[in-house]
């Protein structure tokens, strides 16, 4: 049954039973929201009541009892953290952040250039460089000591944060398999503790205030997977629809020219690039199911939702909703094109309830601008700098487009593609 709590499982249930579904797991009430109308009811009309976060046993342990922002309940502590992060850390106008993005994705293009003509594991390359970008932005550092260690910690945390333990649903069964589970949790948290201690020591050595280490853990755990996964999906979709890649490359050639790399200042002049990224986010929102919890007894669409219920907003299903989207399973960026597409008016700020890759309301992504910008920049570098084809004569229709469900819905197989240089200047 837990398998049905994935974006695809819940979407299939919604087709059968409707846009608001009630499920019961042991003591736990779970409500799945799968249409724009119910999303609006939960994330807008009763935003305050549904702004708590549910947390599993693993989440509570790994976040030191919800002391991070993403899993803290709605309240004074969360508000303060959020304000700090939005103004000080997640802004794409923060100089250290943009420097890290520019240098990181510049390195992505150089690395691809070095391997021109061979099949590149583009998925892995994008993920590793995105981790490096966020690491450098988060710790305001240009050296990458500890990056490999950090990636391993990040991957174990990601696996554990996505895990359910039977005690999450049936507290009286919490003892089942507890020793192995607890040991894994404590090893992961110990590794992170030691890593953070080193960072704090380094900050003190550099004369910074250790209480102001620039980074929130959520930045480190939320950033790389979301940005990396969206970039990989955008490239995969364009490999499957080469006409879309050609249109983007034509736009880049017209606006930027073939004698230089893309710069940040070009991004606002590339409307089709923006559409490609929006379409990738629509079809493959990296956080496919938004996790909310009712802070009090509520009524949604005439149904009662008891306090403490878990509310799963299926952004993946909503972004493809048959009532809101024409051919929602097809990658067609031009649907967002100003003056051309039927969805041109939809933005990513969270007031369009049929389009929720960054969520909506008070728990929506505080780094929307930074995330969108980073993906646009990475996709622009790859599409502008290189021509791409699939390896071993693979046809676009043969490309695997399956996803997996974890904390993020990334591709089930990494994207391999063969680049050849396109610019007249060195990358
Ligand atoms: C393409 C990139 C990204 C996408 C699509 C994305 C999407 C999301 C979504 C859907 C949520 C949950 C909304 C909800 O529950 O209603 C979220 C929350 C969050 N995101 Fe992002 N995100 C992205 C990039 C980032 C980056 C780069 C960072 C940090 C540097 C970040 C930090 C956070 C944090 C801290 C939260 C929790 C906010 C809270 O609970 O108050 N995200 N994001």
């Amino acid at each position: 049954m837990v398998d049905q709590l994935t974006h695809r499982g819940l979407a299939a249930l919604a087709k059968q039973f409707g846009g608001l579904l009630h499920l019961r797991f042991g003591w736990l009430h779970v409500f799945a929201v799968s249409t724009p109308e119910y999303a609006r009811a939960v994330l807008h009309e009763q935003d305050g009541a549904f702004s708590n976060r549910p947390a599993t046993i693993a989440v509570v342990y790994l976040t030191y009892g919800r002391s991070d922002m993403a899993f803290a309940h709605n309240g004074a502590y969360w508000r303060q953290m959020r304000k700090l992060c939005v103004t000080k850390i997640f802004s794409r106008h923060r100089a250290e952040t943009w420097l890290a993005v520019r240098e990181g994705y510049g390195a992505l293009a150089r690395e691809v250039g070095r391997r021109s003509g061979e099949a590149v594991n583009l998925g892995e390359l994008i993920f590793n460089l995105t981790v490096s970008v966020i690491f450098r932005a988060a710790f305001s550092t240009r050296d990458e000591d500890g990056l490999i260690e950090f990636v391993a910690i990040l991957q174990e945390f990601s696996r554990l944060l996505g895990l359910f333990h039977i005690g999450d649903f049936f507290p009286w069964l919490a003892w089942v398999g507890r020793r192995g589970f607890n040991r894994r949790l404590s090893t992961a948290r110990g590794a992170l503790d030691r890593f953070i201690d080193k960072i704090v020591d380094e900050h003190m050595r550099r004369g910074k205030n250790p209480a102001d280490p620039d980074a929130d853990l959520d930045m480190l755990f939320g950033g790389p997977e979301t940005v990396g996964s969206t970039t990989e999906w955008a490239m995969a979709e364009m490999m499957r629809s080469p006409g879309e890649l050609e249109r983007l490359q034509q736009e880049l050639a017209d606006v930027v020219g073939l004698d230089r790399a893309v710069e940040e200042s070009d991004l606002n002049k590339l409307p089709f690039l923006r559409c490609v990224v929006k379409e990738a986010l629509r079809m493959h929102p990296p956080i496919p199911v938004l996790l909310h919890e009712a802070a009090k007894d509520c009524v949604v669409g005439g149904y009662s939702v008891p306090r403490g219920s878990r509310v799963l907003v299926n952004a993946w299903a909503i972004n493809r909703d048959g009532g809101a989207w024409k051919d929602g399973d097809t990658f067609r960026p031009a649907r967002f094109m100003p003056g051309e597409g039927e969805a041109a008016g939809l933005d990513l700020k969270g007031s369009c309830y049929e389009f929720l890759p960054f969520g909506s309301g008070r728990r929506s992504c505080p780094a929307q601008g930074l995330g969108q910008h980073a993906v646009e920049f990475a996709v622009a570098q790859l599409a502008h700098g290189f021509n791409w084809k699939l390896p071993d004569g693979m046809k676009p229709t043969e490309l695997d487009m399956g996803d997996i469900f974890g904390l993020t819905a990334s591709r089930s197989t990494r994207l391999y593609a063969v680049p050849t240089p396109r610019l007249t200047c060195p990358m």
Side-chain angles (χ1 to χ4, degrees), residues 143-294:
D143 75 51
E144 295 189 347
D145 281 353
L147 184 62
I148 293 173
E149 180 191 354
F150 176 67
V151 170
I153 296 173
L154 184 91
Q155 287 173 335
E156 175 66 347
F157 258 66
S158 177
R159 282 188 289 268
L160 287 168
L161 289 172
L163 269 187
F164 289 106
H165 182 262
I166 189 145
D168 287 315
F169 302 112
F170 304 99
W172 59 94
L173 291 178
W175 53 272
V176 176
R178 193 160 68 186
R179 267 175 67 188
F181 185 61
N182 286 355
R183 198 173 316 121
R184 211 173 139 192
L185 290 177
S186 108
T187 306
R189 204 173 78 174
L192 181 67
D193 283 347
R194 287 189 294 280
F195 186 81
I196 297 289
D197 281 351
K198 269 196 271 174
I199 297 282
V200 171
D201 288 349
E202 176 62 12
H203 269 248
M204 288 171 72
R205 206 177 52 75
R206 282 159 52 196
K208 288 190 152 201
N209 179 355
D212 180 26
D214 296 342
D216 167 80
L217 273 188
D218 301 320
M219 179 169 190
L220 301 169
F221 293 112
E225 291 211 28
T226 50
V227 172
S229 158
T230 309
T231 307
E232 188 182 3
W233 275 118
M235 290 305 292
E237 286 290 357
M238 288 194 292
M239 298 304 300
R240 236 175 104 87
S241 307
E244 307 296 353
L245 179 57
E246 276 165 30
R247 183 167 176 184
L248 175 58
Q249 288 184 318
Q250 190 57 55
E251 180 181 77
L252 286 156
D254 292 344
V255 174
V256 181
L258 293 178
D259 54 354
R260 68 169 176 90
V262 186
E263 287 163 15
E264 185 198 7
S265 53
D266 297 317
L267 295 182
N268 280 336
K269 296 176 229 149
L270 297 164
F272 193 69
L273 169 68
R274 185 146 298 167
C275 298
V276 165
V277 171
K278 278 178 158 182
E279 183 68 339
L281 283 164
R282 182 188 70 78
M283 291 187 73
H284 307 285
I287 302 183
V289 177
L290 317 181
L291 303 175
H292 290 240
E293 188 180 290

Side-chain angles (χ1 to χ4, degrees), residues 43 53 69-72 78 82 85 89-90 134 216 218-220 222-224 226-227 230 281 285-287 289-292 315 356-360 362-368 370-372 375:
L43 299 175
R53 281 273 192 238
M69 188 219 302
F71 289 102
W78 166 78
R82 186 153 172 130
C85 285
I89 303 180
F90 296 159
I134 304 274
D216 167 80
D218 301 320
M219 179 169 190
L220 301 169
T226 50
V227 172
T230 309
L281 283 164
I287 302 183
V289 177
L290 317 181
L291 303 175
H292 290 240
L356 294 173
F358 288 97
S360 169
R362 64 187 78 185
R363 294 312 289 243
S364 63
C365 181
Q368 180 252 321
L370 172 62
Q372 184 183 351
V375 178

